[in-house]
Amino acid sequence: MHARVADSRKDWAHKQSTALIRENQAIYVEDLCVSGLARTRLAKSVHDGGWVMFTRMVEEKAARYGRYVGKVDRFFPSSRLCSTCGVQDGPKLLSVREWTCQACGVVHDRDLNAARNILAEGRSERLNACGGAVSLTA
């Protein structure tokens, strides 16, 4: 049974990663701390999701086909930041799936808003990166 589930998960990951690479020139993912998430009450769900295996497959196939995979820092507030006006809201429980921006009044789906913010952050990192160290001016 375990081998069957593992094979099914690998098959799904291969098919989805191939489809993503074929359809997109650039893919941006959030650099999750899977080992940290595995210490929470969601540990079984985190490991069952196969996130590390899936992102590894996407990176390998992207390198093979000349695509770009960017990772957004895990501390980037993707689900707290309003994708419309850019105002950062406070921390939210995981059970909060929808929230309203206090500044502009737009109602956001948590996951869709985070995806928009990750895409915008990944694009800005890639398009504005000069390759050197960046420091704040005094």
Side-chain angles (χ1 to χ4, degrees):
M1 294 290 286
H2 290 287
R4 201 167 162 189
V5 170
D7 289 343
S8 174
R9 185 176 295 129
K10 285 179 189 173
D11 180 57
W12 179 88
H14 272 295
K15 288 177 181 176
Q16 291 300 315
S17 60
T18 301
L20 280 173
I21 293 300
R22 285 184 179 162
E23 296 170 2
N24 300 288
Q25 294 294 317
I27 297 171
Y28 302 98
V29 295
E30 193 171 11
D31 185 25
L32 296 175
C33 180
V34 175
S35 61
L37 290 171
R39 289 187 294 241
T40 66
R41 62 182 177 83
L42 301 171
K44 187 175 183 212
S45 299
V46 169
H47 286 301
D48 280 349
W51 180 249
V52 174
M53 176 182 61
F54 180 69
T55 55
R56 181 180 41 81
M57 284 183 187
V58 169
E59 289 173 349
E60 289 170 357
K61 291 176 184 183
R64 188 179 315 144
Y65 295 109
R67 306 295 200 254
Y68 177 79
V69 175
K71 288 191 175 183
V72 174
D73 186 41
R74 68 183 68 163
F75 298 109
F76 177 69
S78 60
S79 60
R80 291 189 233 165
L81 198 63
C82 175
S83 60
T84 305
C85 68
V87 172
Q88 185 174 341
D89 201 22
K92 296 167 192 51
L93 296 173
L94 210 52
S95 61
V96 177
R97 305 314 302 164
E98 248 184 29
W99 60 279
T100 304
C101 177
Q102 300 299 320
C104 65
V106 175
V107 178
H108 293 290
D109 174 78
R110 182 185 185 121
D111 297 327
L112 186 58
N113 181 60
R116 287 181 180 140
N117 287 329
I118 289 169
L119 176 62
E121 178 69 11
R123 283 182 173 170
S124 68
E125 295 263 329
R126 181 176 181 209
L127 297 177
N128 295 330
C130 62
V134 177
S135 62
L136 297 173
T137 56

